[in-house]
Amino acid sequence: MTRQFPRATLIALVTFLLGTGVYYLTSLETSLGLDTLFQLRGVRPPPPEVVVVAMDEESETRLGVGQDLTRWRSYHAKLIQELQRQGAALVVFDLQFITPHIGQDSTLASAMKSAGNVLIADCLQKINSDDKEFSGREECSERHNALTAEEENGQTQQPGEQGVLLMHKIRPAAILARTALDHAPFSLPNDAGNPTIRAVWPFLDMFKESPTLPVLAWLYYLQDKGVLEGVIQSDRPFSTWLTKQRKQCFSDEQKNLDILPSPSDLEITFNTLICHEDGQYLDYYGPPQTFKMVSYSDVYQGKVSDLEGKVVFIGKSNRKFSPGKTDVFQTPFTDTRSGRMSGVEIMATEFSNFLEDRFIRPPFPAVLVILFFGLAVALVLTQFAGLSGIVASLALFGAYTGMALWGFSRSGLWLPIAVPLIQLPLSWLMSLLWSRWDLLDERKRILAFVRQVFPQWLPYISASPGEWYPDKGAIEPKSEQDVNGLCLATDIEGYTSVAAQHTPREMWALLNDYYQVLGYPVSSNNGIIADITGDAMMAVWMDATKTTQRLSACFAALEMELAVDKFNEATVTGRLPTRIGLHEGDMTLGRIEAGEGSYYRAIGDTINTASRIQGVNKYLGTRILASAAISTGITNVIYRPVGAFRLVGRTEPLELVEIVGMSADIKKIQFDLHQQFALGLNAFRLGLWDKAETIFQTVLDNYGQDGPSEFFLEFMASFQGNPPPGWEGIVTLQAK
């Protein structure tokens, strides 16, 4: 024990220094640790008092306003009146009403004044001090694009060094600012280097300690509920009152805060918020649309009837995933399937965190946690040698992670988990190096003993510990592995003609970018790229349940389809439309020796069949085809059967399905098309070709282009509309 404690101390010190450096010098703990805690915890219910009214795609169509936010203003007055009629507690607009609209502002101002509970947003504009380039949200008036404009309309962050971003605040149009309950800015700290929104500012000290809109909404809601009675004394708008209190916190007048003694904890909460809080980490409730979200047009038309006592946040929010939209942000819960989160949802999240008094906070200084974890792991490793120590330390890390997750889920307490995960292998390495040192030291003593007592045995003892037992050589590992898995095959349509128009160097650069785009969906969905040859790629999934493999491969194929579309829109060298085929079965993964080199490949009929299936796409006009077995047991993916085919080189027919998309992305019109097509396919297979022809033609007339319907019409026409003798409902393809 006397010898082990110094070792444990040294291991703990080294891992503590490394962990502290990683924690303070990188964003790893937030980008990996905090996001992992959110994913492990999952969704938690948001407060029922909060509702988001989404200015969504459906409302754009119904109201005929498009994406121009200024065209919505004529509808806001009636919306406020409807919310007032239902008894909403508070109405918060995540919009800036900057440019005056003659003929609309008076009506809107009248509705705001009558309701008496409407909060609106100030505008923040960023100004590059070098080239005077301006950027701001959509409703920031262009006439404010000047440094002097803020002298009459707001406050300006003072210029600093060249190249910095200055910011100024623009208040709403005067008539609206007067009739609204209050107004304040709302800004999110995102940038290209750190695009994920994890923290917010309750106050913008750069604008003379101005509070932000969620803070105002929280105070006005507490006031509406009578909670502030006897706690805060103020006859001024809360935006003015909060600014004054914040300034007093940084002066000698802090003792004069207008907060009265109260038996509740609100006094402590307010003092902490006003005088001590800077940035706060948001406790997100889940992915986009976790809050109750209703369409703007539904509320406007009186179709929503349960808004009494609710805090209603109104803002731009796309309820369907659509790339390229503005005012959307990454959060720890957003991904390629959920899309990004709208700014109004983040505002509602911050308000809800205030309402629950629950932001993400560390219970202890991170350095203490890192120190004690490193010491605990070091003591375990010095008490248990070798594999036993590693297993015991893993159990310790598992218990610590479970405790961190419990505290995070229960109260939003944030213990670091990414840094301890780095400390763990470093502790193992140092422990193993010490074990190796001890082993070599022991070997020296053995050799010294043999040299003195049995010198005749010395020639038979190797100098290397790895060769103590030379008769027990390592077993040569197998160079191949038989597996049952799933193969995804891709091919570029029209690749030969594209290649003929460009130099080899241009095609190399194009394919290099293309395969990076194509490869990411495979790796992100736990697949393995087994081969890339020319314009074709093979990927495989194995070592998982069939359902998991099928779902992962379908997700990868759909993400590939989207990624290739974006790639083709962006490239100027040449478009590379891609066909995809999926099939599962037995295959062999192995190393093939060729001359002096060796190559790792996936081999077998499964690979060939997947390639043949992707080739059927060019006949059917589809993008993703799979053998019917792939669709068994999967959820969240929409597919449709497209018939039985006898592929080139195969005698047995194969039922194929088209992978159409994710359940949430499929519209009703596509379901109707699939149902009509299924009726036509059934008639085709039964030999009722007159009926099938009528149905397929109806599909094209009603729904426009549909590749499979066009294929079967052409196929039947080639036989003059009559099934050949011995018809079995199987289409035999004569070429790849």
Side-chain angles (χ1 to χ4, degrees), residues 287-288 321-322 328-331 333-341:
F321 175 75
S322 182
V328 290
F329 306 89
Q330 293 182 25
T331 74
F333 279 106
T334 55
D335 55 33
T336 55
R337 300 186 185 97
S338 69
R340 298 186 177 187
M341 181 173 286

Side-chain angles (χ1 to χ4, degrees), residues 221-365:
Y221 180 76
L222 295 181
Q223 184 184 59
D224 179 72
K225 296 301 179 182
V227 177
L228 299 185
E229 188 173 348
V231 179
I232 293 178
Q233 281 190 335
S234 176
D235 55 358
R236 293 169 294 175
F238 279 139
S239 58
T240 305
W241 180 84
L242 283 169
T243 298
K244 176 185 176 183
Q245 307 309 309
R246 182 75 169 177
K247 289 179 179 178
Q248 289 179 358
C249 290
F250 302 107
S251 69
D252 296 334
E253 302 173 2
Q254 182 172 344
K255 60 184 178 181
N256 296 324
L257 292 182
D258 297 331
I259 301 176
L260 300 180
S262 171
S264 70
D265 293 332
L266 273 179
E267 180 185 5
I268 299 174
T269 301
F270 286 142
N271 276 301
T272 302
L273 169 67
I274 296 171
C275 295
H276 302 289
E277 293 286 358
D278 190 7
Q280 294 176 315
Y281 282 92
L282 291 172
D283 191 353
Y284 284 98
Y285 297 90
Q289 303 186 46
T290 299
F291 283 96
K292 178 181 179 181
M293 182 176 288
V294 293
S295 177
Y296 183 106
S297 59
D298 287 344
V299 179
Y300 179 85
Q301 296 168 359
K303 296 180 181 179
V304 180
S305 59
D306 58 344
L307 300 178
E308 182 178 359
K310 306 294 186 183
V311 179
V312 179
F313 289 86
I314 304 168
K316 183 70 176 176
S317 183
N318 301 300
R319 303 177 70 186
K320 299 177 182 178
F321 175 75
S322 182
K325 299 292 185 181
T326 59
D327 201 25
V328 290
F329 306 89
Q330 293 182 25
T331 74
F333 279 106
T334 55
D335 55 33
T336 55
R337 300 186 185 97
S338 69
R340 298 186 177 187
M341 181 173 286
S342 62
V344 69
E345 290 180 88
I346 298 178
M347 181 188 290
T349 300
E350 184 177 356
F351 168 84
S352 300
N353 286 177
F354 278 120
L355 195 61
E356 295 181 323
D357 191 22
R358 173 168 166 162
F359 287 85
I360 301 301
R361 298 186 177 97
F364 313 104

Side-chain angles (χ1 to χ4, degrees), residues 4-21:
Q4 293 172 343
F5 187 79
R7 290 187 176 184
T9 303
L10 184 56
I11 292 174
L13 180 60
V14 172
T15 58
F16 167 76
L17 293 175
L18 175 67
T20 304

